[in-house]
Amino acid sequence: MAWFHRIVLINVSAVACLAAAAAYGFAVSGSGDDDTVAVPVPDPVAAGYCRALHDALPQEVDGLPRHDLKPASDLTAGWGSPSIKLRCGVPRPEIDNDDDADGIGVDGVSWSVEEGPGGGLLLTTTLRSVYVEVTLPKQYAAGLTALSDLAGPVKRTIPDL
């Protein structure tokens, strides 16, 4: 009977992995839905920090109203249209391995900076126990108001390394 439970668990795990991969593929495939994102799958400790961040996030960022992204999750949030998107619990970005990579500090939170989709910016926290990613569409990428609005909640809920 124990072998049956292992097979069921293996099959359930395989289905969950395939579903997550399909959701990620759909989210990044250019579905045309500005509010669709791939939901990260952090470990339980990181997910707890992300839930605390979700509860602390402001109702406005850069003067734009907050809304849920699709699928709705405590690991994601959006503001405005086109959406400024936040994802918490993402993997460490590859750019963090580059000593010459661009980075900025805003109100006590440091961010790696990469070119994002459509000429926008992709920013990911550094020196924190959990990685938080913010995608700024091109029209919001010139200023740092969004990062300034998010710095306080990040500092309060995501511990330094």
Side-chain angles (χ1 to χ4, degrees), residues 60-157:
E60 285 190 356
V61 165
D62 202 3
L64 303 167
R66 182 174 170 177
H67 59 85
D68 287 333
L69 299 173
K70 298 173 193 164
S73 169
D74 286 347
L75 304 174
T76 64
W79 294 266
S81 180
S83 293
I84 293 172
K85 298 175 186 175
L86 179 143
R87 299 186 323 130
C88 183
V90 299
R92 182 177 189 263
E94 185 64 34
I95 195 169
D96 283 2
N97 296 325
D98 181 356
D99 291 336
D100 296 323
D102 291 331
I104 57 172
V106 178
D107 297 336
V109 177
S110 32
W111 302 84
S112 62
V113 180
E114 299 177 78
E115 185 175 330
L121 293 176
L122 181 65
L123 303 119
T124 308
T125 56
T126 61
L127 307 174
R128 299 260 160 204
S129 59
V130 176
Y131 294 98
V132 177
E133 175 189 277
V134 173
T135 304
L136 293 178
K138 185 177 182 177
Q139 49 270 62
Y140 311 124
L144 300 177
T145 304
L147 295 183
S148 186
D149 291 343
L150 296 169
V154 168
K155 285 192 314 190
R156 287 192 304 275
T157 59

Side-chain angles (χ1 to χ4, degrees), residues 32-45:
D33 187 349
D34 176 58
D35 290 337
T36 301
V37 296
V39 176
V41 185
D43 66 61
V45 172

